[in-house]
Amino acid sequence: MSHVPATSAAPAHVPCPKCHHQVPYFDQENSTFFVCPACHAYFKAEDDNAPVSLGKFEGNQKPVLPLGAVGTLRGQQYRVLGWMLRKEKQAIYQWHEYMLRHEETGIQAQLAMYEGHWMLVGPAGRDYKVSGRATSRGAQILDEDTSYDIYNSYSPVTLYAEGEFDWEIHEDSKLTVTEYIAPPHMLVREKQGHQAAHWYRALHIEPSEVAEGFQVPNQRMPFRTGVGAIQPAPAQNSWPALRSFSLNMALLVIITQLALLFIKPEKQVLLQDFSTGRETVPTGANAEAVAAGSNRVLVSKAFEIEGPAALQFALTSSLANQWLEVPVTLVNERTGQRYEFTKSLEYYSGVEDGESWSEGSQDQDATLANIPTGRYHLTLYPVSENGQDLPLHLGVSQHTPLQSNAVVLLLLLAVYPVIQYLRRHSHEHNRWANSNYGPQDES
């Protein structure tokens, strides 16, 4: 690529050897190959020699960026000199390449577009060392702690072209072009036979940057599909910070939970067994109430609470094809303040068609939070079928770690990072689906 500075904003002209149309061009120092916009003839015009026809391009396609237009990309001005429609020699994939000239330095660059994804390509200015065979699976380049993985290797064929060029574009079919990616960057190696390789660097460019930089209406811009070779993954810049923040917050939740266990260790304040059966067998008018399942009222021993505290209640009954409903009231003996909850226990089992089955549970748990300091007792109003006499074991603990709260908080902390992780994973999967060197091809 040329390093000759730009000489003039006004185009020169060269006659087409086929139709004699005056073909405009801008790089008067370097351009020697041209495509006539009138008859699509491809020809060479060098020094004072007469133009020589090299063939003709068939078709009437038009580039998105007009030839000769000047635009701005990343704060630098470029002029569009030429345009090519190209494909891989051994595949059907096609892409567009625009030849650009930096207006201040004259250095040439390329703006490549595939399926609406754009990247700016320029001279790397140095060579790179490839670990492994340059075009084999697993080949990598390590550059300043950045690892570039091989993505594609091909030979380009020019299907159509317009504008001016400083090399014979058909000769590119003899090249082996190998791409190594570390999104949003790419290193490109061009090599022909035993000749020295030439290296280029590419940078992902958003379509909006191209449209704004060259004043192209959005409706004329190609629709972007799929994932580009070096298109940044979602949250490319914020992902490291998001991942670190989420991990640190999760660690803080776990440490806090452990600290609470140490500062306020769990303490059992009540452990008592009850019998739910009625004290007497009613007759007459009370028989209907018994049939509905009335049991006697149960009152626990008194116990002290050092609050504010969360109380954990564990209720157990050895049920066998039975049910038991237990309304529970926690009563502050000084203030009369009440806290209530109800738990239902039921357990059924049997054998059907030679298969054992069971449903329900003989255990239930409950939690009351922010209980003040004081002396308390429990009042229980158990209800069982036909007032059956059932055993009930009740345990009460204070400062029981509310692991469910910690779990909920950890889940909430994980929601957004997990969504971003899944988006990034899907993005990478789709990126490598377009490569012959992707992880999904590994056996």
Side-chain angles (χ1 to χ4, degrees):
M1 292 188 176
S2 171
H3 292 260
V4 178
T7 56
S8 174
H13 294 81
V14 58
C16 171
K18 289 293 186 181
C19 68
H20 306 295
H21 178 81
Q22 293 295 313
V23 179
Y25 68 102
F26 290 88
D27 193 348
Q28 301 173 27
E29 298 288 340
N30 302 286
S31 294
T32 52
F33 295 87
F34 306 88
V35 179
C36 176
C39 69
H40 311 301
Y42 177 53
F43 63 94
K44 179 180 181 181
E46 188 173 20
D47 300 328
D48 295 329
N49 299 324
V52 178
S53 176
L54 300 176
K56 182 179 180 180
F57 288 108
E58 300 294 337
N60 192 28
Q61 303 188 58
K62 294 297 180 183
V64 174
L65 308 183
L67 299 185
V70 176
T72 302
L73 291 175
R74 301 296 169 99
Q76 302 296 314
Q77 276 198 335
Y78 296 92
R79 185 183 297 274
V80 182
L81 299 181
W83 166 75
M84 295 177 286
L85 174 63
R86 314 191 94 175
K87 70 177 290 290
E88 295 183 14
K89 184 184 292 186
Q90 304 298 331
I92 62 173
Y93 304 114
Q94 297 184 8
W95 68 95
H96 297 239
E97 285 185 14
Y98 293 86
M99 299 308 305
L100 308 179
R101 184 186 66 181
H102 191 278
E103 286 295 271
E104 182 178 345
T105 65
I107 295 176
Q108 291 192 2
Q110 293 178 342
L111 189 59
M113 186 275 293
Y114 173 69
E115 294 188 340
H117 299 273
W118 298 78
M119 60 183 179
L120 182 63
V121 187
R126 52 162 290 194
D127 293 337
Y128 295 89
K129 182 179 179 180
V130 181
S131 62
R133 196 161 64 88
T135 58
S136 65
R137 182 186 302 280
Q140 288 184 323
I141 298 172
L142 185 61
D143 180 47
E144 296 180 354
D145 297 328
T146 300
S147 178
Y148 292 79
D149 299 306
I150 187 169
Y151 184 81
N152 202 5
S153 186
Y154 58 91
S155 295
V157 176
T158 303
L159 302 177
Y160 191 81
E162 286 188 9
E164 58 188 277
F165 307 90
D166 63 358
W167 82 102
E168 219 289 49
I169 57 180
H170 285 313
E171 290 293 311
D172 285 355
S173 61
K174 301 176 182 178
L175 294 173
T176 297
V177 179
T178 310
E179 300 170 343
Y180 306 85
I181 66 169
H185 302 281
M186 174 188 287
L187 295 177
V188 182
R189 174 182 180 267
E190 291 186 356
K191 195 171 191 313
Q192 180 176 342
H194 297 290
Q195 298 179 17
H198 293 88
W199 289 90
Y200 304 90
R201 294 186 68 95
L203 173 67
H204 169 81
I205 298 289
E206 284 293 321
S208 57
E209 293 184 71
V210 179
E212 182 179 353
F214 285 91
Q215 300 299 300
V216 178
N218 288 329
Q219 59 269 25
R220 287 193 56 201
M221 293 293 290
F223 182 73
R224 183 161 70 174
T225 60
V227 175
I230 54 175
Q231 180 185 0
Q236 176 82 5
N237 295 325
S238 62
W239 173 249
L242 173 63
R243 181 178 56 193
S244 297
F245 173 80
S246 301
L247 290 175
N248 289 335
M249 289 301 296
L251 184 60
L252 180 60
V253 170
I254 294 172
I255 292 175
T256 302
Q257 191 75 358
L258 294 175
L260 290 175
L261 289 175
F262 178 78
I263 297 172
K264 291 186 175 183
E266 181 179 0
K267 176 184 177 182
Q268 191 165 68
V269 294
L270 177 67
L271 190 62
Q272 190 169 350
D273 291 315
F274 299 92
S275 178
T276 67
R278 55 187 181 277
E279 295 184 14
T280 60
V281 179
T283 59
N286 292 331
E288 183 178 350
V290 172
S294 297
N295 294 80
R296 62 184 175 184
V297 176
L298 306 176
V299 180
S300 76
K301 296 178 292 187
F303 52 91
E304 299 287 340
I305 296 297
E306 299 175 6
L311 299 186
Q312 184 76 20
F313 299 82
L315 295 88
T316 303
S317 181
S318 54
L319 304 177
N321 295 318
Q322 296 164 308
W323 60 265
L324 176 62
E325 183 175 280
V326 188
V328 179
T329 301
L330 174 67
V331 182
N332 187 310
E333 295 188 344
R334 186 179 67 83
T335 66
Q337 178 69 44
R338 294 170 176 262
Y339 307 86
E340 300 177 346
F341 67 88
T342 299
K343 285 296 176 180
S344 296
L345 296 82
E346 56 180 343
Y347 181 78
Y348 298 92
S349 64
V351 178
E352 184 175 350
D353 297 330
E355 296 288 337
S356 298
W357 62 270
S358 65
E359 63 179 14
S361 174
Q362 298 176 331
D363 307 292
Q364 287 290 343
D365 296 324
T367 301
L368 293 177
N370 295 319
I371 304 301
T373 298
R375 183 178 177 83
Y376 293 83
H377 70 262
L378 298 175
T379 304
L380 293 76
Y381 307 89
V383 179
S384 61
E385 186 176 0
N386 297 324
Q388 292 177 340
D389 187 8
L390 298 173
L392 177 62
H393 179 78
L394 176 62
V396 182
S397 300
Q398 77 170 31
H399 300 320
T400 302
L402 298 180
Q403 297 176 350
S404 59
N405 291 352
V407 170
V408 169
L409 185 55
L410 289 173
L411 290 176
L412 290 175
L413 284 172
V415 168
Y416 186 63
V418 167
I419 291 174
Q420 291 293 58
Y421 172 81
L422 293 176
R423 290 180 63 206
R424 290 170 60 83
H425 179 78
S426 175
H427 186 94
E428 290 303 317
H429 175 80
N430 292 333
R431 183 201 311 282
W432 287 100
N434 295 325
S435 169
N436 291 328
Y437 300 90
Q440 69 273 16
D441 293 328
E442 295 181 1
S443 57

